[in-house]
Amino acid sequence: MRKIKILWISLSLILTSYGCSDFLDEKSDLKLATPDRLEDNQMLLNNYGFLNVDFASSGETSSDDHYLTDADYNGLSFEATKRLHIWMPDNVAPPISSGNDWSTCYRSIYVCNAVLFNMQDKNFTGEQADNIRGQALALRAFRYLDAAQIWCKAYDPQTAGTDLGLPLRLDPDMNIPSVRSTVKQTYDQIISDLQTAIPLLLPKQISGMRISRAAAYGLLARTYLFMGDYDNALKNTEQALNINNDLMDFNALNPNADYPIEEMNKEVLLWTAMGYESHLIPAKIPDHIYQMYDNNDLRKTIFFRKNTVNEILFKGYYNNVNGPIISVANDELYLMAAECNVRLNKIQEGMSYLNNLLVKRWKTGTYIPMTANSQAEALNIILKERRKELLIRGLRWSDLKRYNRGGANITLTRTVNGQTYTLSPNDLRYAVAIPEDIIILTGMPQNPR
């Protein structure tokens, strides 16, 4: 137990000293700080308040699923957050002392690397050991996938071999220099980690806070979807749904509750949350999004409420303590299966997945199954429903990037304090600037502008 405490003290030092060269000058001796027993390594991964929270919120802050009034904008705590909201090219990360997206991402990767190092160093074997290795690999992959959506360009097979990727930290030794990989190398590592993890993991874990085989399949499907590899995305989605395809019936929820959806409901395969941002809880939703929901669509009352000045506020969070969820859940899997089938020109199969989801979202007896006569019509319906179902779930920024890669031509516009800002399709600012102190510390190249 004492060694676990030592490791967590070491992690605290990382968080407070990450930007200091003196810290990196110290020679690490991980053997002095790693636990000896399998159970101790599982306990490190069980620190859900450390590993399952504080996923990147930069994409949600930058996306068009919410808006800020001038008063909201002027009241933001950090100048960097204001700059991020209006898509400035640099200085968009709050200080590391406040726990910015970069630091919280890499602190979690450090824990995963420490566990993997220790499992190899101690040569642990057996089902329990395999499950622990699988969790560490899959969680590391999840963090890298999350990070790639913020600091990398959309995956393009034509340029992924040269586009700047992430520094791939695969060893807990803090003395190894950070070097940026390519986007292809980043995604290859994510895929490798998940493919290695899947056979090691239990199909279902004792808690939705612990990553399972079903959740890892879901993450691998999400990875391939972001890459535009719809065949592999569909195969992995189906593998996840073969383990768990449960859906909530929104008719059983109380629309008058402050937060009608339970955080550990039966759709959740892995519970994780973004970093808490006051401007995202409650998020203010544009009226044109609210009007997309039919009056018989229960999401209109489950997801939203109006305040005293008639602003539409989001309440479809699975909790109100942490930030918005970025969980792997079955509603996303149904939508991925629907989209991928249609993109592979299997229109009826895709619409069937969509209808199986939506009938659980509408008032009993009112839902009329949707149909489509062409691939384009089916895709338009499914992507509209994807946005409606996965609102404030940390996916819109990634979707904008991949849609524009495919020629969707979506331009974002904000007006703040009388000035209008725009973000053009495929703009270089879709790869958010890495915190400047990290660039200075490591000498890595900054994202092009």
Side-chain angles (χ1 to χ4, degrees):
M1 190 68 186
R2 178 174 175 270
K3 290 186 177 181
I4 294 177
K5 291 180 179 178
I6 292 173
L7 182 52
W8 285 114
I9 291 170
S10 299
L11 289 170
S12 298
L13 288 173
I14 290 170
L15 298 183
T16 57
S17 308
Y18 195 90
C20 301
S21 59
D22 288 345
F23 174 75
L24 293 181
D25 288 340
E26 294 294 328
K27 299 299 180 183
S28 64
D29 188 353
L30 193 68
K31 292 181 180 179
L32 297 177
T34 50
D36 295 323
R37 302 180 305 150
L38 273 176
E39 293 79 4
D40 296 338
N41 285 278
Q42 182 63 70
M43 287 175 67
L44 288 174
L45 297 176
N46 284 355
N47 194 324
Y48 309 127
F50 192 85
L51 295 181
N52 290 54
V53 300
D54 292 333
F55 278 72
S57 61
S58 295
E60 198 67 53
T61 294
S62 303
S63 83
D64 59 346
D65 272 352
H66 74 289
Y67 72 94
L68 300 181
T69 65
D70 287 349
D72 296 331
Y73 176 85
N74 294 331
L76 290 172
S77 300
F78 298 107
E79 186 65 27
T81 308
K82 294 180 181 179
R83 293 178 61 79
L84 179 67
H85 180 70
I86 55 175
W87 312 302
M88 289 291 100
D90 54 15
N91 295 300
V92 292
I96 195 168
S97 59
S98 301
N100 63 33
D101 284 348
W102 187 273
S103 66
T104 54
C105 169
Y106 278 94
R107 75 179 186 185
S108 294
I109 289 169
Y110 177 86
V111 176
C112 294
N113 286 338
V115 169
L116 290 168
F117 174 92
N118 193 47
M119 298 296 289
Q120 181 177 359
D121 185 56
K122 301 291 192 263
N123 197 28
F124 290 123
T125 59
E127 183 180 80
Q128 184 182 6
D130 286 347
N131 189 33
I132 292 169
R133 284 191 183 91
Q135 290 172 61
L137 284 165
L139 285 172
R140 182 172 74 181
F142 194 178
R143 286 291 182 171
Y144 277 128
L145 180 62
D146 186 50
Q149 307 319 302
I150 306 303
W151 296 294
C152 298
K153 294 169 65 175
Y155 189 96
D156 182 340
Q158 302 301 316
T159 61
T162 54
D163 289 338
L164 287 171
L166 299 170
L168 297 173
R169 308 287 309 190
L170 307 178
D171 189 297
D173 186 352
M174 296 297 293
N175 299 296
I176 298 173
S178 289
V179 178
R180 294 194 72 171
S181 66
T182 65
V183 166
K184 184 179 186 305
Q185 289 169 332
T186 297
Y187 277 81
D188 285 349
Q189 184 64 52
I190 293 165
I191 291 168
S192 175
D193 277 356
L194 289 170
Q195 289 179 334
T196 304
I198 282 169
L200 302 176
L201 289 164
L202 297 177
K204 296 182 181 180
Q205 301 280 11
I206 60 173
S207 167
M209 305 294 283
R210 187 181 293 184
I211 194 162
S212 65
R213 187 180 302 166
Y217 272 126
L219 283 174
L220 189 51
R222 186 188 285 182
T223 303
Y224 282 123
L225 180 75
F226 291 165
M227 295 172 68
D229 185 343
Y230 303 115
D231 184 56
N232 277 314
L234 179 58
K235 288 176 182 176
N236 285 281
T237 300
E238 290 173 338
Q239 291 280 13
L241 290 172
N242 284 339
I243 299 172
N244 181 349
N245 62 4
D246 291 340
L247 289 172
M248 289 182 286
D249 186 344
F250 274 30
N251 287 279
L253 304 181
N254 176 11
N256 297 315
D258 290 339
Y259 297 96
I261 305 175
E262 294 182 4
E263 65 179 354
M264 295 304 296
N265 63 75
K266 63 183 180 180
E267 292 184 11
V268 173
L269 302 179
L270 174 67
W271 186 95
T272 52
M274 284 179 261
Y276 184 90
E277 299 283 358
S278 59
H279 60 279
L280 295 177
I281 295 186
K284 291 180 178 176
I285 306 301
D287 184 69
H288 71 88
I289 294 179
Y290 179 71
Q291 296 303 331
M292 291 166 63
Y293 298 81
D294 189 275
N295 287 335
N296 287 320
D297 186 338
L298 293 166
R299 293 173 297 185
K300 197 164 189 175
T301 53
I302 296 297
F303 283 179
F304 309 109
R305 65 178 177 88
K306 293 186 178 180
N307 62 14
T308 55
V309 293
N310 218 35
E311 293 171 327
I312 302 158
L313 306 181
F314 188 72
K315 65 170 184 174
Y317 307 102
Y318 290 25
N319 74 96
N320 65 331
V321 177
N322 298 286
I325 65 160
I326 190 170
S327 298
V328 183
N330 283 341
D331 56 347
E332 180 191 358
L333 294 180
Y334 274 79
L335 288 160
M336 284 198 290
E339 179 182 345
C340 291
N341 267 297
V342 169
R343 288 190 185 275
L344 296 170
N345 211 28
K346 295 184 284 187
I347 297 171
Q348 297 310 313
E349 292 91 334
M351 296 305 292
S352 177
Y353 272 107
L354 181 67
N355 288 323
N356 287 338
L357 169 66
L358 294 184
V359 71
K360 298 289 189 179
R361 287 353 191 201
W362 284 52
K363 293 179 184 177
T364 301
T366 66
Y367 183 68
I368 300 173
M370 295 188 183
T371 60
N373 295 318
S374 68
Q375 184 184 42
E377 182 184 8
L379 195 58
N380 182 62
I381 293 169
I382 289 167
L383 296 187
K384 179 180 177 181
E385 291 301 328
R386 177 179 172 88
R387 188 175 191 191
K388 290 161 63 180
E389 176 69 21
L390 303 178
L391 195 66
I392 316 296
R393 291 272 289 272
L395 295 169
R396 177 63 176 171
W397 188 244
S398 304
D399 284 348
L400 287 167
K401 292 168 78 165
R402 68 187 182 94
Y403 296 161
N404 281 331
R405 175 192 63 203
N409 246 356
I410 302 170
T411 297
L412 304 188
T413 303
R414 303 198 202 283
T415 300
V416 177
N417 294 327
Q419 185 169 348
T420 299
Y421 302 88
T422 61
L423 186 67
S424 301
N426 304 309
D427 193 291
L428 291 175
R429 290 170 292 170
Y430 268 108
V432 173
I434 292 173
E436 280 72 13
D437 55 352
I438 297 299
I439 297 299
I440 293 170
L441 177 67
T442 64
M444 295 188 301
Q446 180 60 276
N447 286 327
R449 289 293 180 262

